[in-house]
Every structure is written in structure tokens, then in C-alpha cells.
Amino acid sequence: MTEFFRQQVLGCTSCELSKTRKHVIFGEGNPNADILIIGEAPGRDEDLMGRPFVGASGQLLDKILDACNFTRQKHVFISNVVKCRPPGNRVPSAEEVARCIPWLYEQIKRIDPKIMILLGATSLLYMAGAGYKITRDHGQWFNCMGRQTMAVYHPAALLRNPNLKRDTWTDFKNIVVKYREVSDPQHLCQYI
Ligand code: URA
Ligand code: URA
Ligand code: SF4
């Protein structure tokens, strides 16, 4: 991911969200990571900070990654389907996604991850299609753009409904198993 590409995204005005945003959230992590995590869209905290997943959802995501012994620095890159905050944290419209998702496709091409983790229903809808349902299909591996891909509940859903945490932890254990298979057989994790 070149600085030129990053600056192209940071200057994007392709949809209406450019008028209300403070920052474009490009994403962050290892640009050569084997795991790409794809969220929905930045929220208020992210828009203020210019970084993905720094609010309450992000703190929970970091706890989950930590339990897997994954770091933002080394193991993952974190991005979103839409890169500017929808006002009031509403779900991005299909039109906004259509304008923005080519940036994500370009990131996928450049990062070339082996594993993609789709966080929540919006990411699953736009990456996998309307035939998938998060409640039924979370935790299942499927092929998306040539990568081993799994949807998991969005951290915001876990905060609203803590009962979903058990399933999510099972799903992340399977992600660690897959990571050992396709990336690093020596990956250490005290739980798995
Ligand atoms: N929720 C998301 O889907 N993405 C973020 O970057 C932050 C919260
Ligand atoms: N440990 C858990 O018990 N649940 C999670 O979601 C992550 C780590
Ligand atoms: Fe561009 Fe995406 Fe921001 Fe819309 S949401 S202005 S398409 S970067």
C-alpha cells in the first residue's frame, strides 16, 4: 500500500459522507498482514481520531485479538466497508457502499491476506451477498475473493448482547487454528 494510494483514499469525495466526516479512516495494521479484519463503517470516536475501532467496540476487539495473541502491529490489518462515518452511526446506504467498496477491494489486492474476518451483518452482506445470515453463518469458512473468510458477530453486537460472546470466542479459536495452518504453525496462544 503506497503513500500515493493512501492519499487518494484520504482525499476521496465520491459520496455524501465526505461532507460530514472529520477524517477518512483508511485503516491500520500491518499492510502485509495475513489477516484482514473488515468492519462496517467508522463511528464517532473513529471519526474524531482518524483510526479504526478506537471506541467501545474497538476496545472489545482489542481484547479478543489479545486473547488470540494477535496484534494490530503484526498480525492484522483493520479496515471497513465504508471509510467515512455515517451521521448518527446509521448503517451506510447501499449507494455509499457502492461508492466506497472499491477502496476496500484495492486494499485486499494490495495486502493480499490469506484470511478475512467479516465483522457483523453489514460486512457479511456486502462481501458475501444476501444469501448469508450472520446468526446462521458466523463461524463458517467460505471462499471470498480467493481468501479463507469467516464472519463473526460485530463487537457492538457483543456489547449489546453479551450472550453472543461465547460463540464469538469459539469462532476466534477456529481463526487461530486456521492461522496456524495457513500462516504460522508456531503461533503461540495460551488458550488454544
Ligand atoms: N465499528 C465499525 O464497524 N468500524 C469501526 O471502525 C468502528 C466501529
Ligand atoms: N475470551 C472470551 O472469553 N471471549 C472473547 O470473546 C474473547 C476472549
Ligand atoms: Fe469516499 Fe468512501 Fe468516504 Fe464516501 S465513504 S467519501 S466513497 S472514502
Side-chain angles (χ1 to χ4, degrees), residues 140-161:
Q140 306 292 332
W141 291 107
F142 59 95
N143 182 312
C144 177
M145 297 177 74
R147 333 276 159 173
Q148 301 267 13
T149 303
M150 182 194 286
V152 299
Y153 289 118
H154 194 287
L158 305 183
L159 291 171
R160 284 192 302 269
N161 182 1

Side-chain angles (χ1 to χ4, degrees), residues 60 63-64 67 158 165-166 168-169 172 191:
L60 180 52
K63 276 169 67 173
I64 296 169
L158 305 183
K165 285 184 178 182
R166 266 183 153 277
T168 298
W169 183 229
F172 271 92
Y191 305 112

Side-chain angles (χ1 to χ4, degrees), residues 2 17 20 26 28 33 49 52 64 70 81 94 98 108 113 172 178 180 189:
T2 60
L17 298 179
T20 47
F26 179 80
E28 71 178 29
M49 306 276 288
I64 296 169
F70 292 146
V81 166
I108 293 169
F172 271 92
K178 181 71 74 182
R180 286 194 183 129
C189 172

Side-chain angles (χ1 to χ4, degrees), residues 67-142:
C68 299
N69 203 23
F70 292 146
T71 63
R72 293 192 185 207
Q73 174 75 18
K74 175 174 176 189
H75 302 87
V76 306
F77 192 92
I78 303 176
S79 193
N80 283 294
V81 166
V82 158
K83 291 181 168 41
C84 302
R85 181 201 185 200
N89 295 359
R90 62 169 172 75
V91 177
S93 70
E95 153 120 25
E96 289 155 359
V97 174
R99 299 279 175 151
C100 203
I101 207 165
W103 292 132
L104 177 64
Y105 294 158
E106 188 62 28
Q107 289 179 318
I108 293 169
K109 205 171 97 182
R110 289 168 185 250
I111 296 165
D112 195 19
K114 296 193 166 91
I115 294 171
M116 297 201 295
I117 304 172
L118 312 181
L119 292 185
T122 300
S123 180
L124 180 61
L125 172 64
Y126 289 106
M127 293 304 293
Y132 289 81
K133 293 285 163 262
I134 190 78
T135 46
R136 184 191 63 199
D137 299 323
H138 74 84
Q140 306 292 332
W141 291 107
F142 59 95

Side-chain angles (χ1 to χ4, degrees), residues 8-19 21 24 84 95-103:
Q8 266 190 304
V9 179
L10 295 183
C12 178
T13 55
S14 293
C15 85
E16 293 285 301
L17 298 179
S18 62
K19 296 179 181 165
R21 74 185 181 216
V24 178
C84 302
E95 153 120 25
E96 289 155 359
V97 174
R99 299 279 175 151
C100 203
I101 207 165
W103 292 132

